[in-house]
Amino acid sequence: MFRKYLQVFLLSMVPFLELRAAIPYSQLLELPLPESYVVAIIGNMIPVPLIFFFARKMLVWGADKPYIGRLFSWCLRKGERGGQVLKQKAGRRGLFLALLLFVGIPVPGTGAWTGTLAASFLDMDFRSSVLAVMLGVLLAGVIMGTASAGLFGALGAIFR
């Protein structure tokens, strides 16, 4: 059982997959949803401070390096673009809510990694950024948990 929870935890830390993949995966493993939700949230939030303080610097450093430069440049552009889109849509005062919704609505290309990187590009303060990202991750977890429970519950009823 521990091994399954560890898989969910680690999967929720992977960029672009995050808890959007970890929660459905936990349901595929037939783990209890409340415990899986907590494990996925914790795993998804652990990288956030590191991303906020170091990712931008690392991406700038690696943007001109062979082999990794293309990927790092792409990530820089994505972070800058995400930050500008949030800023244009929300203005400075609505940035907290915009970041929360950006992270919280589980669509490809959004999530804690991208949201935190965008917040660092916008020079948001650490506390506001982490709080908005955490609330967004909680919202995304509820959405994914509800969707996963509904999908796997329906499939279970069909194939019994």
Side-chain angles (χ1 to χ4, degrees):
M1 186 76 93
F2 174 77
R3 192 173 176 168
K4 290 180 179 180
Y5 281 116
L6 182 61
Q7 290 172 352
V8 170
F9 178 78
L10 294 174
L11 185 60
S12 69
M13 295 176 86
V14 176
F16 304 110
L17 296 178
E18 303 182 29
L19 62 74
R20 289 153 176 77
I23 290 177
Y25 182 68
S26 75
Q27 296 310 285
L28 191 64
L29 296 175
E30 299 179 349
L31 293 171
L33 186 56
E35 289 87 349
S36 299
Y37 175 81
V38 171
V39 168
I41 296 293
I42 293 169
N44 202 188
M45 287 303 297
I46 284 179
V48 167
L50 295 172
I51 297 163
F52 187 86
F53 289 116
F54 301 112
R56 185 174 168 185
K57 292 174 185 170
M58 182 73 108
L59 291 171
V60 168
W61 170 83
D64 62 348
K65 303 292 185 272
Y67 306 111
I68 60 172
R70 187 179 245 169
L71 174 64
F72 280 37
S73 295
W74 177 82
C75 289
L76 274 172
R77 285 192 306 275
K78 185 162 179 52
E80 288 171 356
R81 220 175 316 128
Q84 291 310 313
V85 167
L86 283 175
K87 196 178 207 176
Q88 287 172 353
K89 288 186 177 181
R92 199 70 178 151
R93 296 182 72 200
L95 207 49
F96 179 88
L97 182 59
L99 181 59
L100 185 157
L101 293 174
F102 178 79
V103 173
I105 298 173
V107 296
T110 67
W113 282 77
T114 308
T116 305
L117 187 58
S120 75
F121 277 106
L122 292 171
D123 295 321
M124 287 180 70
D125 67 286
F126 176 72
R127 188 174 171 189
S128 298
S129 300
V130 170
L131 184 58
V133 169
M134 180 184 290
L135 292 172
V137 166
L138 291 169
L139 174 61
V142 167
I143 293 169
M144 291 309 301
T146 304
S148 297
L151 174 65
F152 287 107
L155 289 175
I158 291 170
F159 294 108
R160 278 188 204 181

